[in-house]
Amino acid sequence: MSAVSTERAVDPQAERKWRRRGLVALAALLPLTLAETSYDSVREWLHGEDLIARDVEFGQSVPFGGSGWKLADLRGGKAGRLPDHAFAVIATFTVTIGDPDLRKQWLGCKLMLTDAAGRRWLPDFISGVSLPEGAMNCAQAIFSGARKGDVITVGDTFIVPEDAVKTIRPAVGLGSERPWYLRFQRPPK
């Protein structure tokens, strides 16, 4: 009796051809797979950051997050117990409510200051410094029960280094508008 082989002979050229096809498919599919898996992460990152400024002239009211935002005042100076070379700054905005669903429109509301070097400052508590009477911060405004057509004052206090005081500009970021944010011109002197 003789043994009969049941394996087929492998053609080396055909095997190389399939290997090349596999590598080409891998080279095409790998970047597509990475793009697909990172798309949601990039989208979430863009919606979570204030990246693109919309510059607004002082005195101009701009629709943003369903309401009209206007810089009311920007003032600062030495106050409270601040470190050397630091200033207290109060920025206030007059906001005309358009869409009264502020919990949806203003989610992630963030007032900030920016300077010419691209630095940013977020609100900070300063002992002895408070907002003007009737003004509220973002969180208070969201839950204030404001109705369409109401005009409210929104503001906050900041601690800024002395070297940035001359170039700071107030800005507003809202979750419903990100990655866009408003950056206001300073009031004229």
Side-chain angles (χ1 to χ4, degrees):
M1 298 236 265
S2 68
V4 179
S5 175
T6 58
E7 293 183 23
R8 289 189 257 170
V10 177
D11 181 10
Q13 282 186 332
E15 187 175 336
R16 278 191 288 251
K17 185 177 180 181
W18 279 106
R19 281 186 189 162
R20 278 190 295 248
R21 285 181 183 170
L23 286 173
V24 168
L26 181 63
L29 291 176
L30 187 61
L32 291 173
T33 303
L34 288 173
E36 171 63 27
T37 57
S38 64
Y39 174 76
D40 287 336
S41 298
V42 170
R43 191 180 74 212
E44 286 300 315
W45 177 73
L46 286 174
H47 286 294
E49 294 294 324
D50 301 307
L51 299 173
I52 307 167
R54 285 178 44 201
D55 288 322
V56 180
E57 295 295 322
F58 180 75
Q60 181 181 5
S61 180
V62 177
F64 195 65
S67 299
W69 288 78
K70 178 181 176 182
L71 178 62
D73 194 17
L74 180 68
R75 66 178 75 180
K78 281 291 207 185
R81 293 182 180 175
L82 293 176
D84 292 339
H85 307 294
F87 282 85
V89 176
I90 299 173
T92 55
F93 299 86
T94 304
V95 184
T96 305
I97 304 299
D99 183 347
D101 188 3
L102 299 183
R103 290 181 187 136
K104 177 182 172 193
Q105 294 293 328
W106 289 17
L107 185 65
C109 177
K110 181 170 34 172
L111 301 184
M112 60 194 139
L113 297 178
T114 64
D115 74 350
R119 297 179 294 179
R120 290 184 183 185
W121 293 270
L122 295 176
D124 208 342
F125 174 77
I126 306 169
S127 178
V129 177
S130 60
L131 292 174
E133 190 172 327
M136 54 190 111
N137 64 29
C138 278
Q140 293 168 329
I142 289 171
F143 295 102
S144 68
R147 296 187 174 117
K148 183 175 182 152
D150 287 355
V151 178
I152 61 174
T153 303
V154 178
D156 231 320
T157 57
F158 303 85
I159 299 174
V160 179
E162 185 177 13
D163 67 331
V165 170
K166 292 184 186 222
T167 63
I168 58 169
R169 294 174 62 184
V172 177
L174 300 175
S176 64
E177 297 287 341
R178 287 190 176 103
W180 298 93
Y181 70 98
L182 297 180
R183 183 173 57 197
F184 291 83
Q185 290 292 339
R186 298 166 54 96
K189 291 186 179 187

